[in-house]
Amino acid sequence: MSGENSDSTRPFNGWPTDIGFEINHEEAEPVELKITGRIPPYAAGVLFRTGPGGHQLTTKEGKTFTMSHWFDGWAQTHRFDIIDRGGDEGRMQVTYRSRHTCDEYMAKIHHTGKVPGISFAQVQDPCESLFRKMMSTFYAMTSPDPEGKSCQNIGVTLQQDMPGWSEKSGEVTLKDHNLWVRTDHNHLQQLDPKTLEPLQTATQAVLHPDLRGNLTAAHPQIDPNSGDWYNYNLELGRAPIYRVFGVSAATGDVTILTTLTGNDILGSYVHSMFLTEHYIVLCIFDAYIEMGGMKMLWTKNMIDALYFDPSKKNKWFVIDRVHGRGLVDVYESDGFFSFHTTNAWEETSSGTTDVVLELSTYENLDILKRFYYENMKATAPGAHAYVGDNSLRARPQLMRWMLRDVNERASTVSIPAKAAERVFVVPKADSVELPTINPTYAMKPSRYIYGCSDRADSVFLDGLIKFDTLKKSAKAWKVHAHSPGEPIFVPDPQGNAEDDGVLLSIVLDGVKSTSYLLVLDARNLEEVGRASMKIAFPFGFHGSHVSV
């Protein structure tokens, strides 16, 4: 195999990644980072990041407990303050602090040596009795401890000033601004945005009593103009129920826009949705949950209760979010899986409306298995199953789809589904995961997609790509053994072009075992500056830049 090492203790292709998964370090107080190059003053603000920070601990019996999957690592949130100190030279300063936010959850594992409740992929003790498994209930196993502030392992996406919660929760006095961390189950955690201290946990039922389902999208869709946000709530069971809802930024009021159930609608793992000027589009991907969720009572994790069925079609539901018509149209396509949508917009001509949708896709669910730690560490033998030609089955592929002639009248789930049209497919070598765009182009026709590349040079992410959807061409940033995280686009307020701005990405230098905040010119992906850390930063999921 090309690039394979004969010495299994050496990292694949000389590209170390292990330390990015093994970090338990915290910085309780802000630490100043060394800046080289130039960080533009318009990038000043706060960069929040969240994701796993380590995956092992020592139990009270002195044994090492290990979480086996990246999605189950210990939740940790990070704060980078990018400060404009002013002056003629525009002097900038960057400080960093971090905190684990699941202390009580980790304490339970320390005392019991077992995962409390259902995880995403942890393999549970096969010797546990059938009686005990079947006496558990899904809701009890996934409901948060009402007394705990850090009793849940929540750390996928985050949002500051999230409408609805400040009006509805009322349990904690908000400090300056509320910061909420989210995941794909129906739990959220509020953090102090300055110290990152956990303040409380809550469920969507706080917003509306009907939002009692177990699952939701870690990525709600936010209207950039109004600040209103939208999501779905999935109640599992024999006949799964998707409740698609919106939250007003102005009032905090919650409206259930439609309820989708029956007509062979299956429960699925749906990580994100689409938003346009008038519509929400929920695509039920081919990642179905067996037995209406009941199988999770046996597996006690989600991954072993998911299945991919190539004979089934993806269903695309178009929901009106403006005029109260609810579901207006249904489309279908061949099955595939996706984590992340990139953008969506409407195109109107001759009295008809088409919806354009872009997302990063996978041909099956192999990507979920790839994210076991034993497959992601460069020195692990399991990683060789996902490198070289073997990596193709678990690499992302950008696609653009079109939903033509959207119906403007209220409909039901039983209407005949139209065919969704696949407009183009990007080669895997030019595709990205953890995609982003210039946020000022959300819900508008956009040309550029940015994200992390997976060109099989590493067992993990190996560069950053800017893909031009007009020219169908890619520009790449890559440094050998430097593994980047999700890029965040910060627009230049003086710019006129879509790509006027910078990208912020946390990069691990695997050779030096240290990380840095990389600042790239979004036009050409050339480095303009960086802020260097003295430690390695853990491979995480998502972030958010808040301007000041």
Side-chain angles (χ1 to χ4, degrees):
M1 179 185 299
S2 175
E4 186 171 354
N5 303 295
S6 58
D7 182 354
S8 62
T9 64
R10 296 174 57 196
F12 170 79
N13 199 28
W15 196 305
T17 62
D18 293 26
I19 192 171
F21 301 109
E22 297 172 346
I23 300 164
N24 287 296
H25 182 79
E26 291 182 343
E27 290 285 358
E29 299 296 329
V31 174
E32 185 169 357
L33 308 184
K34 179 182 179 181
I35 296 177
T36 54
R38 179 179 177 273
I39 299 177
Y42 66 78
V46 179
L47 175 65
F48 290 106
R49 296 287 306 170
T50 192
H55 64 112
Q56 295 182 325
L57 58 76
T58 302
T59 68
K60 69 176 184 179
E61 297 179 352
K63 298 179 180 179
T64 298
F65 180 92
T66 301
M67 280 293 197
S68 56
H69 197 277
W70 189 37
F71 290 6
D72 291 323
W74 317 129
Q76 185 174 16
T77 298
H78 313 261
R79 176 179 173 132
F80 293 84
D81 283 274
I82 305 172
I83 306 165
D84 180 5
R85 292 300 185 189
D88 294 338
E89 298 180 1
R91 190 173 73 86
M92 303 295 287
Q93 181 184 31
V94 178
T95 63
Y96 166 73
R97 71 190 306 169
S98 65
R99 192 188 194 286
H100 281 96
T101 54
C102 58
D103 296 346
E104 293 166 278
Y105 182 85
M106 294 172 67
K108 289 180 181 178
I109 297 176
H110 167 76
H111 286 290
T112 66
K114 296 180 180 179
V115 175
I118 291 176
S119 67
F120 185 85
Q122 185 71 7
V123 177
Q124 301 284 15
D125 184 358
C127 296
E128 188 175 11
S129 71
L130 175 63
F131 175 79
R132 181 175 176 182
K133 288 179 185 289
M134 297 311 295
M135 285 300 291
S136 301
T137 68
F138 186 80
Y139 285 96
M141 292 166 70
T142 57
S143 61
D145 181 346
E147 303 300 323
K149 300 177 181 179
S150 60
C151 57
Q152 295 289 309
N153 197 22
I154 302 172
V156 179
T157 64
L158 39 73
Q159 182 181 341
Q160 189 163 333
D161 299 326
M162 192 173 182
W165 298 99
S166 58
E167 294 85 355
K168 297 292 195 327
S169 61
E171 296 179 27
V172 173
T173 300
L174 301 179
K175 300 179 180 180
D176 298 327
H177 303 281
N178 65 73
L179 176 66
W180 289 89
V181 189
R182 303 173 296 235
T183 185
D184 290 304
H185 60 72
N186 183 15
H187 303 141
L188 299 91
Q189 182 182 44
Q190 185 191 8
L191 307 179
D192 183 309
K194 291 185 177 179
T195 67
L196 308 179
E197 175 190 359
L199 299 179
Q200 66 171 322
T201 57
T203 71
Q204 290 174 347
V206 171
L207 298 173
H208 192 289
D210 288 347
L211 302 179
R212 56 183 178 270
N214 317 100
L215 301 178
T216 190
H219 294 269
Q221 292 295 308
I222 304 168
D223 186 320
N225 302 312
S226 67
D228 298 347
W229 63 274
Y230 301 85
N231 208 334
Y232 75 88
N233 176 275
L234 172 58
E235 183 176 358
L236 294 169
R238 279 179 108 178
I241 303 171
Y242 293 85
R243 295 181 176 92
V244 180
F245 65 94
V247 181
S248 168
T251 66
D253 291 341
V254 178
T255 302
I256 295 181
L257 301 170
T258 195
T259 299
L260 306 174
T261 189
N263 201 43
D264 298 324
I265 292 177
L266 299 175
S268 176
Y269 172 37
V270 181
H271 189 65
S272 59
M273 304 184 302
F274 301 91
L275 188 72
T276 70
E277 182 180 359
H278 297 96
Y279 304 112
I280 303 159
V281 179
L282 171 64
C283 183
I284 298 181
F285 300 115
D286 198 339
Y288 303 116
I289 304 169
E290 286 196 62
M291 301 168 59
M294 289 298 292
K295 187 173 180 180
M296 279 189 274
L297 298 180
W298 171 256
T299 63
K300 295 182 73 174
N301 68 41
M302 187 170 185
I303 195 170
D304 291 324
L306 294 176
Y307 69 97
F308 185 90
D309 186 344
S311 70
K312 293 187 181 300
K313 301 284 189 179
N314 282 5
K315 296 286 188 179
W316 308 67
F317 295 94
V318 183
I319 298 116
D320 171 46
R321 70 180 181 95
V322 177
H323 303 293
R325 291 189 288 250
L327 177 68
V328 294
D329 224 334
V330 181
Y331 295 76
E332 66 180 16
S333 68
D334 288 340
F336 60 81
F337 173 66
S338 175
F339 286 118
H340 300 116
T341 61
T342 62
N343 199 15
W345 61 88
E346 298 166 27
E347 294 182 351
T348 302
S349 176
S350 302
T352 64
T353 299
D354 302 332
V355 175
V356 182
L357 312 113
E358 295 178 338
L359 72 169
S360 185
T361 70
Y362 296 89
E363 57 203 61
N364 52 42
L365 301 183
D366 284 354
I367 184 62
L368 298 179
K369 298 298 177 89
R370 182 182 182 181
F371 287 154
Y372 281 104
Y373 285 109
E374 65 182 8
N375 298 329
M376 298 175 70
K377 295 183 179 181
T379 61
H384 289 193
Y386 293 93
V387 296
D389 292 342
N390 290 334
S391 69
L392 287 173
R393 58 195 169 95
R395 286 166 61 186
Q397 189 156 40
L398 288 170
M399 292 185 182
R400 176 181 288 179
W401 289 81
M402 181 86 77
L403 308 182
R404 294 198 178 274
D405 192 13
V406 174
N407 180 32
E408 295 184 354
R409 298 179 300 277
S411 301
T412 68
V413 295
S414 61
I415 65 171
K418 304 175 184 176
E421 177 185 332
R422 192 170 65 182
V423 180
F424 65 72
V425 179
V426 178
K428 290 189 177 184
D430 294 337
S431 292
V432 300
E433 187 48 277
L434 303 173
T436 192
I437 62 169
N438 181 333
T440 63
Y441 281 74
M443 305 193 310
K444 303 174 185 178
S446 56
R447 176 175 176 177
Y448 303 112
I449 301 172
Y450 301 87
C452 295
S453 66
D454 182 0
R455 291 180 163 177
D457 292 320
S458 164
V459 301
F460 194 48
L461 305 173
D462 51 27
L464 296 170
I465 279 180
K466 173 187 181 181
F467 185 77
D468 185 333
T469 63
L470 181 62
K471 294 183 176 180
K472 305 297 189 297
S473 62
K475 185 181 293 292
W477 174 91
K478 175 188 169 185
V479 177
H480 187 81
H482 288 225
S483 303
E486 173 197 50
I488 303 293
F489 192 108
V490 182
D492 182 348
Q494 303 302 317
N496 296 313
E498 181 181 339
D499 55 356
D500 282 337
V502 294
L503 298 176
L504 306 179
S505 175
I506 313 298
V507 180
L508 172 67
D509 180 339
V511 175
K512 293 182 178 179
S513 295
T514 57
S515 296
Y516 56 94
L517 169 59
L518 174 67
V519 185
L520 294 180
D521 187 325
R523 296 169 297 182
N524 51 29
L525 294 198
E526 293 182 0
E527 180 176 340
V528 297
R530 68 172 65 183
S532 298
M533 308 174 72
K534 294 182 179 180
I535 60 170
F537 185 91
F539 291 131
F541 300 136
H542 297 288
S544 174
H545 179 270
V546 181
S547 298
V548 295

